[in-house]
Structure formats: C-alpha cells, structure tokens
Amino acid sequence: MSKLHDSQKADLVAAAKRYATNYQSSPADRYMAHRGLGGVAKLRLGYVSDPAVGHELHRGRLAIPYWRPAGGIHSVATIRFRCIADVCVKAPDGSYLLPHQERHNGHGKYIGLPGHPPRLFNTRALLTSRPYIALNEGELDSAAVEGSDVPAVGTPGVSSWRDHFDPAFAGFEVVFVLGDGDDAGRRFAAKVCERLPNAKAVDLGDGYDANRFIHEFGPKRFRERLGL
C-alpha cells in the first residue's frame, strides 16, 4: 500500500472524531450495551450516521477507529466498520441475537478501508506499566478485556498477523493469547505462541470468545482464568 498523504490522514482523523460524536444513544451504542460493552468509552468507538466521503457504503455501521497514542494527523491508523443492521443482528421479535447467531448474508460482518493492511488494534495498551498484556482475535474482544481491567490489543482476524507485530510484545513477561473457542481460534493461539516466547494460550472453552466469557461469567472470573 502506498503511504497516505497528510490530507488523507487528516480526513481519517476527522471522520473518526465525527463518528465518535454520533455514537452516544445511537444503534451502535445500544448494540455494544447488548454485548456488555457499554463501558469502553476510552476506545472512542463511533457510529456512521453521516458518512465521510468514501465511506458511504458504511452508513449505519459501528465504526472502530484504530487510535494511536500520538496526536495530530497520525492519531488514527485506520477505521474498520461492523455491520449492526437489525436484519442481521436481531431476531424477528426485535431481540438481539448472540453474536455467533447473527446472519450476515451476502456481506462481511466487518469491512476495512480499501488498501489498508492489517494492524494491531488499541496500541495504546502497549504503553501499560503492567508486566502482562492480552492479545485477542478481534477488536470487540479486546474491548471486553479492557473493560475487565486487563490491557488488551487485538488483531482483525486469524490470518492477519504480520511479522512486524512481534517486537511490540517483546517487553512483557506474559502475553495472554485469547483465541476464539473453535478450531480457527486455537490455530491462531498456537501460531502466536510459536512466534512469541512469552506467549501463553488461554482457552476459554468451546464456543467462547473473551466477550462472551466476560459477559456470562464476569470480569472477576475472567481475571482468575488468567491467573491474575
């Protein structure tokens, strides 16, 4: 991918800020509350009610900005968008479906910006003074773990790991690797543990990702599962 021009970087920051402003009391806010993720304001998620130029196809989606610790035009690395359309995430009676029961027919659950490579989500967490960090398969699982008072970063999928991610975790005593409770998630955890000598795979059980586990059993039980 060619590097973004300064004007493109500034446009990305402006879009992320606009979507964050439109988040409160929006369908995205309600969807996140349904998933037990109502207390993750520091991640500055957004709602696309008024799309920026080039984002028109993402109207009505949850916006997931990849905020950097830096400020200015470099403060947003990319934005990913998650489908939260009623027809996809709700049952006929209007109740929310569990995430693994959602029906995203004919389109992806998540969509990134064209030409943007995979990145680490929530890199601010890498600045923690704690000797451990959690690595998750997905942005919303990272949000759930952060809400449980455990610093967490995420990848946008099992096939998105890149070689240059490795050094970011070198200074931690332990990297808790939290893949989904399925074959793909366990392969992801095994792959990361092969790459990072300080990695420790934590299996949350069949069918459980971090978000579902924390929502059902609570942050205290989750931290105990990590040995904290």
Side-chain angles (χ1 to χ4, degrees):
M1 178 191 116
S2 59
K3 292 184 178 180
L4 297 178
H5 296 296
D6 285 354
S7 61
Q8 293 173 305
K9 296 175 183 177
D11 289 345
L12 201 59
V13 174
K17 289 181 176 179
R18 179 195 303 178
Y19 301 152
T21 298
N22 295 332
Y23 179 78
Q24 189 172 5
S25 300
S26 71
D29 191 5
R30 293 191 290 273
Y31 176 79
M32 292 293 283
H34 147 70
R35 293 190 58 167
L37 298 172
V40 291
K42 62 184 176 181
L43 297 181
R44 299 174 69 186
L45 302 176
Y47 177 64
V48 188
S49 59
D50 179 21
V53 174
H55 297 179
E56 291 84 3
L57 292 177
H58 307 303
R59 184 186 300 274
R61 286 183 171 243
L62 167 69
I64 307 174
Y66 278 48
W67 293 98
R68 289 172 168 147
I73 62 173
H74 301 287
S75 59
V76 177
T78 191
I79 303 175
R80 294 237 299 162
F81 303 91
R82 192 199 195 278
C83 176
I84 54 170
D86 284 354
V87 68
C88 298
V89 303
K90 289 184 177 181
D93 65 1
S95 62
Y96 281 105
L97 299 167
L98 293 174
H100 66 280
Q101 297 174 332
E102 293 178 3
R103 303 176 298 266
H104 299 273
N105 298 322
H107 63 270
K109 186 185 300 185
Y110 291 89
I111 299 178
L113 292 171
H116 285 222
R119 301 179 184 274
L120 289 174
F121 174 69
N122 194 35
T123 52
R124 174 197 54 77
L126 294 168
L127 303 178
T128 181
S129 60
R130 301 183 192 184
Y132 57 83
I133 193 165
L135 172 62
N136 301 269
E137 180 194 339
E139 298 96 343
L140 298 191
D141 287 317
S142 299
V145 175
E146 280 273 331
S148 298
D149 195 31
V150 176
V153 295
T155 65
V158 295
S159 62
S160 61
W161 193 266
R162 297 295 183 268
D163 291 346
H164 62 271
F165 293 173
D166 294 5
F169 301 93
F172 293 97
E173 291 181 14
V174 181
V175 179
F176 297 111
V177 185
L178 301 164
D180 292 351
D182 55 25
D183 289 343
R186 288 167 180 138
R187 286 195 299 270
F188 165 76
K191 175 182 177 180
V192 173
C193 288
E194 288 176 359
R195 302 184 66 100
L196 305 181
N198 52 350
K200 178 186 292 186
V202 180
D203 196 316
L204 299 175
D206 289 346
Y208 282 91
D209 56 21
N211 182 195
R212 184 180 178 188
F213 186 96
I214 293 166
H215 196 190
E216 288 192 21
F217 302 113
K220 183 176 183 293
R221 176 110 170 252
F222 172 73
R223 290 176 58 83
E224 289 172 351
R225 191 67 169 259
L226 301 185
L228 299 176

